[in-house]
Amino acid sequence: MDGAFYQRHLFVCLNQRENGERACNNSGIAEEVFHAAKQHAKALGIHGEKQVRVNRCGCLGRCDEGPIAVVYPDAVWYTYVDADDIREIVESHLRDGVPVERLRI
Amino acid sequence: MDGAFYQRHLFVCLNQRENGERACNNSGIAEEVFHAAKQHAKALGIHGEKQVRVNRCGCLGRCDEGPIAVVYPDAVWYTYVDADDIREIVESHLRDGVPVERLRI
């Protein structure tokens, strides 16, 4: 990963649907979790170029397993229950490089 | 990449800003280019699980070099001028695994 713009890049799906279909942010939790992740990475001093980035994104195509987040370039997929879960992902995976096995899908 | 949910995953930044700062979709081109990429991947029959995915996302943090797109897990970063550029990325990189050197940043 030498030379990578970001060492690890977390994408949190914030997709909403009005038609009753399942979507990661229908309950609003994904928005809250996205901001918690970004704030935590900033508080740890690891958010930025040559470090890590926390990104919002649209539908990742795994709605039935959601709410969904994915870490690249590792291609490790997660679901979460609350902001504590995402902060664990930020510390263990983004900062320390250790995927959080209990949250993987 | 055996077992990867997507072999290659293209994220197109659709960020807009109202305050005059540079952002990938201020001109509206990123929205058009995102849809062109997704349609092209679907037309080629490569959009889906175990194949490739075209995704919208928020700010990728490289605004000055934008408009921006990135392909993971390769971590290859692109800029583009129009929908033809993104269709070339879809065919050459997403389908054939060959990055488009002239569009890399």
Side-chain angles (χ1 to χ4, degrees), chain A residues 1 5-6 9 11 53 55-62 65 70 72-73 77, chain B residues 5-6 9 11 53 55-62 65 70 72-73 75 77:
Chain A
M1 288 304 301
F5 197 80
Y6 300 120
H9 199 159
F11 292 88
R53 184 170 181 88
N55 227 98
R56 64 172 69 222
C57 70
C59 180
L60 289 162
R62 302 187 69 168
E65 301 165 279
V70 60
Y72 279 113
W77 292 79
Chain B
F5 197 80
Y6 300 120
H9 199 159
F11 292 88
R53 184 169 182 91
N55 227 100
R56 66 173 66 222
C57 70
C59 179
L60 289 161
R62 301 188 70 170
E65 301 164 281
V70 59
Y72 279 114
W77 293 80

Side-chain angles (χ1 to χ4, degrees), chain A residues 60-79:
Chain A
L60 289 162
R62 302 187 69 168
C63 315
D64 290 346
E65 301 165 279
I68 297 289
V70 60
V71 175
Y72 279 113
D74 316 46
V76 170
W77 292 79
Y78 290 110
T79 189

Side-chain angles (χ1 to χ4, degrees), chain A residues 31-47:
Chain A
E31 183 86 27
E32 173 196 335
V33 160
F34 162 70
H35 289 292
K38 197 157 188 170
Q39 285 172 358
H40 199 54
K42 287 181 175 178
L44 293 170
I46 58 172
H47 196 265

